[in-house]
Amino acid sequence: MSLEVSISLLILRLGLALTFFAHSSQQLGWHGGRGFKGTIDNWKALFGLPTPLGAIGILTEILASCALLVGFLVRPAALGLVIFLAVAIWKAHWKHGYFLAQPGGKGMGIEFCLTLLFIALALVFGGAGAISLERLL
């Protein structure tokens, strides 16, 4: 694998890891978030998501962000995020259209989640790259 490809994969991994770690930390109650139970209760009320699936979703976000950060089990972690994002797009964002910013605060469209999904999908196919824990083991 060329150095350029490995650097590109590293940038994608770190960008996705940072984004998901910050987002999922709110689901743990940091940065003004609802916390684990609050998030699961909210998802259940708004989207009818069963509690076990909500818990799996939160754990996927947290564990995948850590895996991407260090470059270990990147393909399964990225696949977990692809599935998580597909559900988020379907359940929460599709009805609001494409654009993130909606007039009158009518919700958020699929724009941002779709971008994250494509980054995760690129990592499913590209893997961790040479600059990763996977390559050291």
Side-chain angles (χ1 to χ4, degrees):
M1 180 175 295
S2 73
L3 179 62
E4 292 85 2
V5 171
S6 288
I7 290 172
S8 297
L9 292 170
L10 176 65
I11 291 168
L12 291 174
R13 274 187 16 234
L14 294 180
L16 200 59
L18 175 65
T19 301
F20 268 99
F21 185 79
H23 183 70
S24 61
S25 70
Q26 286 187 305
Q27 296 167 351
L28 296 176
W30 303 352
H31 313 294
R34 298 174 191 259
F36 195 83
K37 183 178 181 335
T39 299
I40 289 175
D41 290 345
N42 184 53
W43 289 351
K44 190 173 189 174
L46 289 176
F47 312 118
L49 199 64
T51 299
L53 285 181
I56 289 169
I58 292 172
L59 291 173
T60 297
E61 286 185 288
I62 295 165
L63 296 175
S65 65
C66 294
L68 295 174
L69 181 65
V70 298
F72 184 67
L73 298 173
V74 167
R75 283 187 166 104
L79 180 60
L81 291 177
V82 166
I83 294 166
F84 178 84
L85 286 160
V87 172
I89 288 169
W90 170 48
K91 290 287 210 176
H93 300 283
W94 189 264
K95 63 185 171 197
H96 299 292
Y98 180 78
F99 295 105
L100 183 64
Q102 297 291 320
K106 295 180 182 175
M108 296 177 287
I110 67 170
E111 180 179 18
F112 186 62
C113 286
L114 189 62
T115 301
L116 295 176
L117 186 145
F118 283 132
I119 292 169
L121 194 58
L123 292 171
V124 168
F125 287 98
I131 308 168
S132 66
L133 185 58
E134 285 181 12
R135 296 291 183 215
L136 295 176
L137 300 177

